[in-house]
Amino acid sequence: MRGVFLKIYLAFMVTAVITATVTLVLAAYYRQWSNDSTNLIAPTGGYISAAELILQQGGEPLLLEWLLRFDRHPSVNAYVFDDQGLSLLPVVPQRVMDYAYSPDTYEARINPLGRSEILVKAPIESAEGRVYLLVVEFLHPLVVFNLPAYLGWGLLASLLLFAIWGLILSGYLTRPVRYMQKTVQAFASGDWTARMDLRSLKRRDELGELSREFNHMASYIERLIHDQRQLVSDVSHELRSPLARTTVALELARLDAVPEQEEHLDRIELETQRLNDMIEDLLNMAKLETQQDHSHWRHVDCGQVLNQVVEDARFERQESIINLTLASDLKTVFGDSKLLQSAFENITRNALLHTHVGTSVDVSARMRDGMLRVVIRDHGPGVPEDKLEDLLRPFVRAEGARERLGQGHRGFGLGLAIAHRVISHHRGRIRLLNHREGGLMAIIDLPPDV
């Protein structure tokens, strides 16, 4: 909202400045364009007659008193010079003196942009026959208004008024956008029921249309995801029964099998076990995607979880080398310890599968930038850069995993995908990088419990 408010506010201010400038320029030239200058010069005849009458009846003292009363007039001043060129008033502006002493007969001087907008001079004669010069000055209206104060108060009022209107307008325009941002974030986090509010949907502008289109899209995606998950779950469950019958039939076949058939029966058993393992992984993934209940979550010490994972891995693969390094300032994570343990196990087993013979798998945990960072690195061949992100998707395997599949390894391409779902489920992030010295490195960042 801050960016929209600033743009609206600046737009108002620029418009106001341009409007005020144009208005001032037009006002400055208004009299000249509309012949109002002539209308202002006309009343000077009365001033001339009054000054000459006062001079003839009361002389210079009464004329001076009349001149001093002109100081009370906001927009008109009068000055008188005797036949020696001396002013009866003690203070006379230089512009008035320049005009009075100018050789141009008795023509009026008009300056729409000057302080003295109009200057008019005329001779007046005393009773003794002495000739005096009367100068009448019409001040510009902006001078009368005290332009600096006028502009200052006007600018202050504009700042406050436009700030209020800009805040109201930006709030009106950005409220559905901000609500949509929160809705999109909730939708992206797995809340497929997130929708725009009724107030945004009732709007009759482009934002209302966008809100309605978003709800339509969200409903369509929710239905697709639900159908996909239901399909995976149903297929997985339906496959369990024939696989169970296959296992029973396999054991019965072993009772009557001759030695030459044992190799083929072992192969059937291996493939059946692989199918069972894959179905179990698929069901776990489906459960992760639909699980929204966090009531069983607790404070998890990831150091203890990693210790258990490494101990189990060392027991299962006693010929492998696993190094564990834990910082002393590790913070707890709020989540499901079993899910986190399964994620760390999947990544560690993947590292043990691909590291070269005689090399180690390095596991470490420390705090960095306010996050709990777990790094699991192998010393294997690594992965092409364009395949790194794909490894976190289901059923994507590196070429080495495909080769090991024929050597008795699982290699379904689900282990890293499950780990990715678990970490995302805990509001964390997992990245796969090739180490500069060789091997694949999995970097896991989890938000600590606050």
Side-chain angles (χ1 to χ4, degrees):
M1 177 177 172
R2 292 190 298 271
V4 177
F5 168 73
L6 183 60
K7 291 177 182 178
I8 294 176
Y9 186 67
L10 291 178
F12 279 158
M13 291 304 302
V14 170
T15 303
V17 170
I18 294 176
T19 303
T21 303
V22 173
T23 302
L24 290 176
V25 172
L26 292 178
Y29 285 100
Y30 174 74
R31 287 179 175 81
Q32 189 176 22
W33 290 346
S34 61
N35 294 324
D36 278 0
S37 300
T38 304
N39 297 331
L40 283 176
I41 296 174
T44 57
Y47 294 139
I48 295 171
S49 300
E52 190 171 39
L53 180 61
I54 292 174
L55 177 62
Q56 292 176 356
Q57 292 182 352
E60 288 187 6
L62 188 60
L63 180 61
L64 179 60
E65 182 180 353
W66 180 76
L67 292 175
L68 292 176
R69 285 202 302 269
F70 258 88
D71 289 341
R72 302 175 184 177
H73 199 289
S75 60
V76 182
N77 292 324
Y79 305 93
V80 174
F81 298 87
D82 60 17
D83 53 0
Q84 303 296 320
L86 300 176
S87 173
L88 299 186
L89 293 175
V91 180
V92 181
Q94 186 64 39
R95 60 185 179 278
V96 175
M97 295 183 63
D98 293 341
Y99 173 67
Y101 297 151
S102 62
D104 51 346
T105 62
Y106 295 104
E107 294 182 359
R109 179 178 295 178
I110 301 175
N111 182 13
L113 297 180
R115 176 182 177 87
S116 299
E117 185 181 21
I118 300 175
L119 289 170
V120 181
K121 61 183 177 181
I124 56 176
E125 186 175 354
S126 66
E128 295 82 10
R130 294 180 62 185
V131 177
Y132 292 78
L133 181 67
L134 172 67
V135 178
V136 181
E137 177 189 30
F138 293 90
L139 298 177
H140 197 283
L142 295 180
V143 177
V144 179
F145 289 155
N146 189 3
L147 182 59
Y150 177 77
L151 291 179
W153 284 107
L155 180 61
L156 179 60
S158 300
L159 290 173
L160 295 177
L161 179 63
F162 292 154
I164 295 174
W165 277 113
L167 184 63
I168 295 174
L169 184 58
S170 60
Y172 173 76
L173 293 176
T174 61
R175 193 201 68 82
V177 177
R178 287 183 282 114
Y179 193 92
M180 180 175 290
Q181 181 183 17
K182 295 179 181 179
T183 306
V184 170
Q185 290 174 348
F187 194 82
S189 300
D191 183 9
W192 310 116
T193 61
R195 296 292 186 273
M196 292 296 294
D197 62 329
L198 185 61
R199 183 178 177 183
S200 299
L201 296 176
K202 288 183 176 180
R203 293 175 66 114
R204 297 302 178 184
D205 53 9
E206 289 80 359
L207 292 175
E209 184 177 351
L210 178 60
S211 300
R212 291 186 289 272
E213 290 295 332
F214 172 81
N215 276 6
H216 178 71
M217 178 199 69
S219 300
Y220 181 71
I221 293 177
E222 181 187 13
R223 186 170 63 255
L224 285 180
I225 293 176
H226 178 268
D227 292 344
Q228 181 188 29
R229 290 176 176 174
Q230 190 64 40
L231 176 62
V232 172
S233 179
D234 292 344
V235 170
S236 301
H237 280 292
E238 292 299 326
L239 287 176
R240 281 291 179 89
S241 297
L243 284 175
R245 291 193 294 269
T246 301
T247 302
V248 174
L250 179 62
E251 294 301 325
L252 293 176
R254 285 186 184 276
L255 297 178
D256 300 327
V258 296
E260 291 78 8
Q261 296 175 332
E262 287 295 334
E263 181 181 356
H264 302 292
L265 294 176
D266 290 340
R267 185 65 181 181
I268 294 174
E269 183 179 9
L270 176 62
E271 297 300 337
T272 302
Q273 184 59 40
R274 285 178 176 173
L275 283 174
N276 273 318
D277 293 339
M278 182 176 64
I279 291 171
E280 182 178 357
D281 289 342
L282 287 173
L283 290 175
N284 287 335
M285 284 187 58
K287 181 180 179 181
L288 278 175
E289 291 177 345
T290 57
Q291 183 178 13
Q292 298 294 333
D293 182 20
H294 297 166
S295 60
H296 63 287
W297 281 21
R298 297 293 183 269
H299 304 290
V300 179
D301 186 346
C302 287
Q304 294 181 0
V305 174
L306 289 172
N307 262 319
Q308 186 62 46
V309 169
V310 171
E311 287 182 8
D312 293 343
R314 286 171 178 169
F315 179 78
E316 294 176 4
R317 301 177 65 98
Q318 299 183 7
E319 73 283 0
S320 301
I321 304 173
I322 307 176
N323 299 321
L324 176 62
T325 304
L326 300 177
S328 59
D329 60 341
L330 294 181
K331 296 182 179 179
T332 60
V333 173
F334 189 69
D336 189 325
S337 60
K338 292 183 179 180
L339 288 179
L340 290 173
Q341 182 173 347
S342 69
F344 296 148
E345 281 181 353
N346 286 335
I347 300 174
T348 303
R349 285 173 178 169
N350 185 77
L352 289 171
L353 181 64
H354 292 89
T355 194
H356 291 311
V357 178
T359 61
S360 64
V361 170
D362 302 325
V363 181
S364 64
R366 62 191 176 98
M367 300 301 300
R368 180 169 181 177
D369 298 332
M371 301 287 282
L372 175 64
R373 171 163 293 186
V374 177
V375 179
I376 302 175
R377 178 207 169 187
D378 62 48
H379 292 77
V383 177
E385 293 292 335
D386 59 339
K387 300 292 184 182
L388 287 175
E389 292 187 6
D390 294 339
L391 289 180
L392 298 177
R393 295 180 8 227
F395 299 108
V396 176
R397 296 169 294 184
E399 292 301 324
R402 297 179 186 274
E403 296 174 0
R404 289 177 174 83
L405 185 60
Q407 302 173 9
H409 297 285
R410 295 175 62 186
F412 301 119
L414 292 173
L416 291 178
I418 293 176
H420 179 238
R421 301 290 170 85
V422 171
I423 299 303
S424 299
H425 194 55
H426 287 79
R427 297 177 293 110
R429 179 187 179 195
I430 179 172
R431 292 176 293 155
L432 299 180
L433 300 174
N434 284 315
H435 197 276
R436 61 179 178 275
E437 297 178 0
L440 185 66
M441 181 169 57
I443 302 176
I444 303 168
D445 289 322
L446 290 168
D449 182 28
V450 292

